[in-house]
C-alpha cells in the first residue's frame, strides 16, 4: 500500500480487525520511510447488478429500494424485510449474471414471503401482479390454498374438552 504522505511504494501492517459485521477489514499501517501511520479499509469489490424494469429502463440494483417495497407489504406483520432484501441481494451477487429483470426480483420476493407470511405475500402480490379486481385476489388465494394444507378449525366442543382435560376436571379418579 502506497503511503499517502511520502508516496513510498510499501507500508507495514500494524493491526488488522474486522468491522461492519465482518464485511470489511480495518488495517492500521505505518510507512517505513517517513514513519507516518494511516488506516485502510479492505472490502469485497462487488459487481453492480443491472435491473431491467418493465418499461425497458435500466438501473442499478438498490437493496434499500427493495426493502422499502417489502416493508410496505409487511406493515404490522411479523416479517423482517431487511433479512429478505439481504438474502435476495446475496443471491443476486452470488449468481453468474450481472443483469436481472424486475420481474425476477419480484418472484424472488414472492417466493420468500409465501414461506414466511401469507398476508404479506397477498399484499405484495396485489401490487406486483397488478390485481385489478376482487377476482384477481380470489384466484391468488385459491392457488395458495391448493398448495397448502388447511389447518382444521377446532369445534366449540373440542375446545371445551381440551380446557377440561388441562384443568383436571372431568377425569375419573379411582378410590383406593
Amino acid at each position: 500500500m502506497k503511503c499517502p504522505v511520502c508516496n513510498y511504494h510499501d507500508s507495514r501492517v500494524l493491526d488488522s480487525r474486522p468491522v461492519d459485521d465482518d464485511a470489511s477489514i480495518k488495517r492500521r499501517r505505518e510507512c517505513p520511510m517517513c514513519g507516518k501511520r494511516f488506516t485502510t479499509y479492505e472490502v469485497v469489490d462487488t459487481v453492480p447488478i443491472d435491473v431491467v424494469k418493465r418499461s425497458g429502463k435500466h438501473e442499478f440494483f438498490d437493496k434499500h429500494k427493495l426493502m422499502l417495497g417489502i416493508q410496505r407489504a409487511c406493515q404490522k406483520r411479523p416479517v423482517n424485510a431487511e433479512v429478505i432484501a439481504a438474502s435476495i441481494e446475496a443471491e443476486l451477487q452470488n449468481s453468474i449474471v450481472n443483469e436481472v429483470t424486475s420481474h425476477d426480483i419480484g418472484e424472488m420476493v414472492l417466493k420468500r414471503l409465501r414461506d414466511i407470511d401469507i398476508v404479506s405475500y397477498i399484499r405484495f402480490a396485489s401490487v406486483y401482479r397488478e390485481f385489478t379486481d376482487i377476482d384477481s385476489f380470489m384466484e391468488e388465494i385459491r392457488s395458495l390454498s391448493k398448495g397448502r394444507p388447511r389447518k382444521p378449525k377446532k369445534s366449540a366442543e373440542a375446545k371445551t374438552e381440551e380446557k377440561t382435560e388441562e384443568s383436571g376436571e372431568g377425569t375419573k379418579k379411582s378410590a383406593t
Side-chain angles (χ1 to χ4, degrees), residues 66 70 74 79-89 108-109 112-113 116:
L66 175 63
I70 297 168
C74 301
V79 178
N80 190 336
E82 189 173 340
V83 169
I84 295 171
S87 73
I88 290 172
E89 181 184 41
M108 293 167 86
V109 172
R112 285 164 174 80
L113 286 177
I116 297 170

Side-chain angles (χ1 to χ4, degrees), residues 15 19 43-44 108 125 169:
D15 182 39
V19 290
V43 295
V44 174
M108 293 167 86
E169 296 173 10

Side-chain angles (χ1 to χ4, degrees), residues 81-97:
E82 189 173 340
V83 169
I84 295 171
S87 73
I88 290 172
E89 181 184 41
E91 184 177 331
L92 292 172
Q93 288 290 344
N94 293 331
S95 68
I96 300 170
V97 298

Side-chain angles (χ1 to χ4, degrees), residues 49 51 53 59-74 80-92 100-110 112-113 124 128:
I49 299 165
V51 178
K53 307 294 268 181
E59 62 182 55
F60 289 120
F61 175 79
D62 183 358
K63 180 178 118 180
H64 183 69
K65 186 176 176 180
L66 175 63
M67 188 176 62
L68 289 175
I70 297 168
Q71 280 177 338
R72 275 186 231 114
C74 301
N80 190 336
E82 189 173 340
V83 169
I84 295 171
S87 73
I88 290 172
E89 181 184 41
E91 184 177 331
L92 292 172
V100 65
T101 64
S102 59
H103 173 78
D104 293 339
I105 294 172
E107 291 299 323
M108 293 167 86
V109 172
L110 286 173
R112 285 164 174 80
L113 286 177
F124 190 87
Y128 170 70

Side-chain angles (χ1 to χ4, degrees), residues 2-151:
K2 194 169 157 181
C3 176
V5 177
C6 70
N7 289 326
Y8 186 68
H9 68 280
D10 199 10
S11 63
R12 186 171 71 104
V13 176
L14 302 173
D15 182 39
S16 292
R17 56 182 70 182
V19 290
D20 296 331
D21 293 332
D22 294 335
S24 61
I25 297 174
K26 178 180 179 180
R27 297 194 194 280
R28 192 73 183 138
R29 297 176 176 268
E30 181 179 54
C31 175
M33 191 64 112
C34 68
K36 177 69 177 168
R37 291 184 176 191
F38 56 98
T39 302
T40 60
Y41 293 90
E42 182 179 314
V43 295
V44 174
D45 189 18
T46 57
V47 177
I49 299 165
D50 193 30
V51 178
V52 181
K53 307 294 268 181
R54 289 180 186 173
S55 65
K57 181 182 167 192
H58 290 252
E59 62 182 55
F60 289 120
F61 175 79
D62 183 358
K63 180 178 118 180
H64 183 69
K65 186 176 176 180
L66 175 63
M67 188 176 62
L68 289 175
I70 297 168
Q71 280 177 338
R72 275 186 231 114
C74 301
Q75 194 170 10
K76 296 184 180 180
R77 300 296 303 163
V79 178
N80 190 336
E82 189 173 340
V83 169
I84 295 171
S87 73
I88 290 172
E89 181 184 41
E91 184 177 331
L92 292 172
Q93 288 290 344
N94 293 331
S95 68
I96 300 170
V97 298
N98 58 357
E99 184 177 280
V100 65
T101 64
S102 59
H103 173 78
D104 293 339
I105 294 172
E107 291 299 323
M108 293 167 86
V109 172
L110 286 173
K111 181 181 177 214
R112 285 164 174 80
L113 286 177
R114 184 176 185 155
D115 295 338
I116 297 170
D117 185 59
I118 296 299
V119 173
S120 298
Y121 170 87
I122 291 293
R123 287 177 179 173
F124 190 87
S126 69
V127 175
Y128 170 70
R129 293 195 173 142
E130 298 176 344
F131 292 169
T132 55
D133 55 14
I134 192 74
D135 293 331
S136 304
F137 276 98
M138 293 306 294
E139 187 177 320
E140 191 67 33
I141 291 169
R142 275 189 221 102
S143 73
L144 281 172
S145 59
K146 287 178 186 174
R148 281 182 176 228
R150 281 187 59 197
K151 294 178 183 174

Side-chain angles (χ1 to χ4, degrees), residues 153-170:
K153 290 186 178 179
K154 293 182 180 176
S155 66
E157 287 178 16
K159 288 180 183 176
T160 306
E161 286 177 19
E162 278 184 4
K163 287 181 183 176
T164 304
E165 288 175 6
E166 287 174 4
S167 65
E169 296 173 10

